[in-house]
Amino acid sequence: MNKAILSILGRDRPGIVAAVSRTLFQQNCNIENVSQMMLQAEFAGIFIVSMPPGTSAEDLHRGLCSSLAPLGLHVHTKPCEIGDDHCATDPCEPFVITTRGPDRKGLVADISEVIARHGVNITNLQAVFKGGDAPGDNIMIYEVDVPTVVDHQALAHDLRTKAEGLRLEINIQHRNIFETLHRI
Amino acid sequence: MLTDREIISTLDMLKNEHLDVRAVTLGVNLLDCAGSDLNHVRRRIAERVMGLAGKLVPVCERVGQKYGIPVVNKRIAVSPIAVVGAALSPADLVEIARTLDAAAREVHVDFIGGFSALVEKGLARGDRSLIAAIPEALAATERVCASVNVASTRAGINMDAVLLLGRTIKRAAELTADRDGAACTKLCVFANIPEDIPFMAGAYLGIGEADAVINVGVSGPGVVKNAIDRALSTRPNLDLGSLSELIKKTAYKVTRVGELIGREVAEQLGISFGVVDLSLAPTPNVGDSVGEIFQSLGLLAIGVPGTTAALALLNDAVKKGGAFASSRVGGLSGAFIPVSEDLNISEAVRNGHLCLEKLEAITSVCSVGLDMVAIPGDTSPETISAIIADEMAIGVINNKTTAARLIPVPGKAAGDHAYFGGLMGQSTILPVNNGRGDNPFIRRGGFIPAPIHSLKN
């Protein structure tokens, strides 16, 4: 299958998704997955599309750039590699790591370094830093997949040690607790 | 994907509102340990308890860590010792209590319940021996809890047993006079006792239960109070129907946590999961109080007019939320009002807002009864029995569980301060009407028959 992954970045405004999808439709592409979000006033969207035979990611990129550049949007396009949708992974348990504490530079880098060192994959990250020392104003939420072979105690210990050094309150909890509490 | 609101509100419930799993209680069936040879019975009990409960504490710690929810107390409930030790003498049964205490210490649980008898329809030999052993058993041990069911809606009230228990409580207090009668904090007298309570001092493993079972007690008065406070801060005119709905939803969440933890502990121990008991059970910590909920609802203090209505609303909403959250709800499930264990309730006693009579009235709508009530040391055994009889009548007629955990504090009078320490807390001693007076009604003994609505078949 001939697929490409696109990322679209730019100042948010009405009509971005419409413009992207119209261009894709005109190029006879089929959208398979879309995820979009807004951070402050900026739009970010990721699309995986299947392209008709004979169309390359470069062709698609040129088409998108010409229609989206006037809207102030930046486009990055990359062909999907074969096997991307069949990644073999170890069995994992979903956990959520949260931190609260005073803002400073390098918090995400420091915490994610510990997570990476243990071979744990971050599946979703939300972080809000409003600055200052109010714990509720500076929050990081990492949703992670912890392979069952990972030493959970050692991961928790390393994260706590790192968080202490950064004066952060840290929690590592199985994802089920949040779903159990809030969802029927 | 989880929303940040879901995550932050969970963290707040855990960190600031004292949401925890109050007790994971392992039920251990001892019925096949019965016998007439004391040493043989002791050995079998010790082997059974330590065999089944050896991993209880580490597993609870591990599961608690996994979900970030502390499992505060790990406990054991055994089959009624009056049945297991029916062939033994009172002195032998005190030794059985020591065995249970040692086993509990060995596996690091803070309480072991089941030094119990079920006598609502009559006192058998084993029951008499057990009740005779209770004062010394509770005075000589640290972790053993006792309970006696003296009444039920189907059987009525065994007034002979009620009379006997009045004397038993008095004796237990005397044996621990140096600790303000602390032995009595480990003794509950019940009507309609459930077979699966995970909370002490009333936990025992029912006769109809399997070899082993995990029951979970979840608390969370702080979570309920904070939910009410938060809602009222944005909508100060919220009516009681809306507040009831809010409490119900909060109770739902708390119950779900209990079931999640309980099922996982049970699975890891290879033991079946029993019930989750959602009871608003306070501890002597600020922010972990049932009394504070009454103030959040708008009452000056627990005990002032309006208290019974507020507690009825609270207890009912908690039960409904629990019932929706789990099909395995059991135990007491409602709101506890243990005087000495709740800073705010004992404060209401000290300030004169809450008296024994009002406490008794509100037990008709709470989930247990007269709980952790310190009374003057010179209260007569007959009067203690009479207070128990009144409490049992409320349970029997209203087809609900009621209990009395009364502490006649030796050498102290109404208005004095009693200190039990730890989870048992402290309290001002409540005055008792006709405390030292004669009570021929109670001395008549016999049975108060079962009410007409017991004839259901």
Side-chain angles (χ1 to χ4, degrees), chain A residues 93 95-96 98-100 124 126 128 136 139 141 143 152-153 160 169-184, chain B residues 1-16 19 62 65-69 252-254 256-257 260-261 264 324:
Chain A
E93 290 264 359
F95 278 78
V96 179
T98 45
T99 72
R100 294 199 279 195
N124 187 46
Q126 303 173 67
V128 178
I139 298 168
I141 301 169
E143 289 183 50
H152 197 270
Q153 299 287 339
R160 284 205 186 90
E169 167 201 317
I170 194 161
N171 289 285
I172 309 134
Q173 293 158 282
H174 197 283
R175 183 192 160 94
N176 281 356
I177 190 69
F178 301 98
E179 294 190 339
T180 299
L181 262 168
H182 298 285
R183 298 180 183 183
I184 293 175
Chain B
M1 197 172 81
L2 299 165
T3 68
D4 52 352
R5 234 180 60 190
E6 288 172 332
I7 289 171
I8 291 164
S9 88
T10 304
L11 294 177
D12 282 340
M13 284 166 101
L14 289 167
K15 295 285 166 190
N16 307 326
L19 172 63
R62 205 162 55 230
Q65 257 177 24
K66 176 174 171 182
Y67 293 103
I69 303 259
Y252 164 85
K253 292 181 179 181
V254 177
R256 295 262 290 178
V257 170
L260 176 72
I261 302 290
E264 183 138 349
F324 182 51

Side-chain angles (χ1 to χ4, degrees), chain A residues 80-100:
Chain A
C80 276
E81 284 155 28
I82 292 166
D84 273 5
D85 50 352
H86 293 290
C87 291
T89 50
D90 292 327
C92 290
E93 290 264 359
F95 278 78
V96 179
I97 299 167
T98 45
T99 72
R100 294 199 279 195

Side-chain angles (χ1 to χ4, degrees), chain B residues 26-376:
Chain B
L26 168 66
V28 177
N29 194 319
L30 296 181
L31 293 180
D32 62 341
C33 301
S36 54
D37 177 342
L38 173 64
N39 287 330
H40 181 70
V41 176
R42 290 184 71 172
R43 195 171 57 249
R44 294 203 65 182
I45 288 177
E47 283 170 5
R48 176 67 48 80
V49 171
M50 288 194 274
L52 277 168
K55 288 188 192 151
L56 176 65
V57 172
V59 164
C60 287
E61 299 286 348
R62 205 162 55 230
V63 173
Q65 257 177 24
K66 176 174 171 182
Y67 293 103
I69 303 259
V71 178
V72 182
N73 300 301
K74 299 82 173 171
R75 291 168 174 170
I76 297 171
V78 299
S79 309
I81 294 298
V83 178
V84 179
L88 302 173
S89 69
D92 287 348
L93 289 173
V94 173
E95 294 309 308
I96 298 288
R98 289 186 206 276
T99 304
L100 291 170
D101 198 45
R105 189 174 294 119
E106 187 73 24
V107 297
H108 307 292
V109 302
D110 66 339
F111 283 119
I112 184 164
F115 201 75
S116 305
L118 308 168
V119 301
E120 62 274 17
K121 254 197 142 175
L123 285 152
R125 180 188 149 179
D127 303 326
R128 287 187 186 280
S129 299
L130 182 112
I131 292 171
I134 282 176
E136 200 183 333
L138 295 185
T141 61
E142 182 193 357
R143 302 175 193 219
V144 174
C145 290
S147 56
V148 181
N149 193 65
V150 298
S152 76
T153 300
R154 298 304 285 265
I157 307 174
N158 181 345
M159 291 299 289
D160 293 331
V162 169
L163 189 58
L164 197 53
L165 262 303
R167 295 176 190 145
T168 305
I169 288 168
K170 190 83 177 167
R171 178 75 187 134
E174 285 163 5
L175 288 180
T176 46
D178 58 331
R179 288 179 281 143
D180 280 348
C184 298
T185 64
K186 299 182 287 174
L187 171 58
C188 279
V189 183
F190 273 93
N192 295 322
I193 189 171
E195 297 198 320
D196 50 16
I197 309 173
F199 291 100
M200 294 296 170
Y204 83 104
L205 185 73
I207 296 289
E209 297 269 359
D211 287 330
V213 65
I214 288 287
N215 294 320
V216 173
V218 201
S219 185
V223 181
V224 171
K225 179 195 181 304
N226 276 287
I228 295 169
D229 290 347
R230 255 197 316 273
L232 289 177
S233 72
T234 52
R235 297 168 63 196
N237 296 324
L238 217 52
D239 70 8
L240 293 173
S242 308
L243 284 168
S244 162
E245 190 65 20
L246 177 76
I247 296 167
K248 197 171 77 177
K249 285 180 183 159
T250 310
Y252 164 85
K253 292 181 179 181
V254 177
T255 307
R256 295 262 290 178
V257 170
E259 180 155 359
L260 176 72
I261 302 290
R263 284 194 184 277
E264 183 138 349
V265 168
E267 191 185 323
Q268 291 201 20
L269 287 171
I271 289 172
S272 61
F273 174 69
V275 299
V276 51
D277 178 341
L278 170 62
S279 286
L280 300 182
T283 61
N285 294 316
V286 175
D288 201 18
S289 155
V290 172
E292 288 172 8
I293 297 175
F294 290 84
Q295 291 174 323
S296 288
L297 287 172
L299 293 172
L300 173 66
I302 182 172
V304 302
T307 298
T308 313
L311 184 53
L313 178 154
L314 178 63
N315 204 44
D316 179 66
V318 165
K319 281 184 196 296
K320 285 174 178 164
F324 182 51
S326 168
S327 53
R328 303 294 288 272
V329 172
L332 298 162
S333 287
F336 293 175
I337 43 167
V339 178
S340 71
E341 293 176 359
D342 187 314
L343 271 184
N344 185 282
I345 299 180
S346 52
E347 185 74 5
V349 171
R350 197 169 65 87
N351 293 335
H353 294 305
L354 185 60
C355 63
L356 189 60
E357 287 72 18
K358 185 65 178 178
L359 256 178
E360 184 190 308
I362 63 179
T363 63
S364 62
V365 296
C366 83
S367 69
V368 197
L370 288 172
D371 197 11
M372 295 299 286
V373 180
I375 55 176

Side-chain angles (χ1 to χ4, degrees), chain A residues 5-22:
Chain A
I5 179 161
L6 341 163
S7 67
I8 317 286
L9 288 175
R11 191 81 177 167
D12 191 44
R13 50 172 287 176
I16 295 178
V17 173
V20 175
S21 52
R22 193 183 322 112

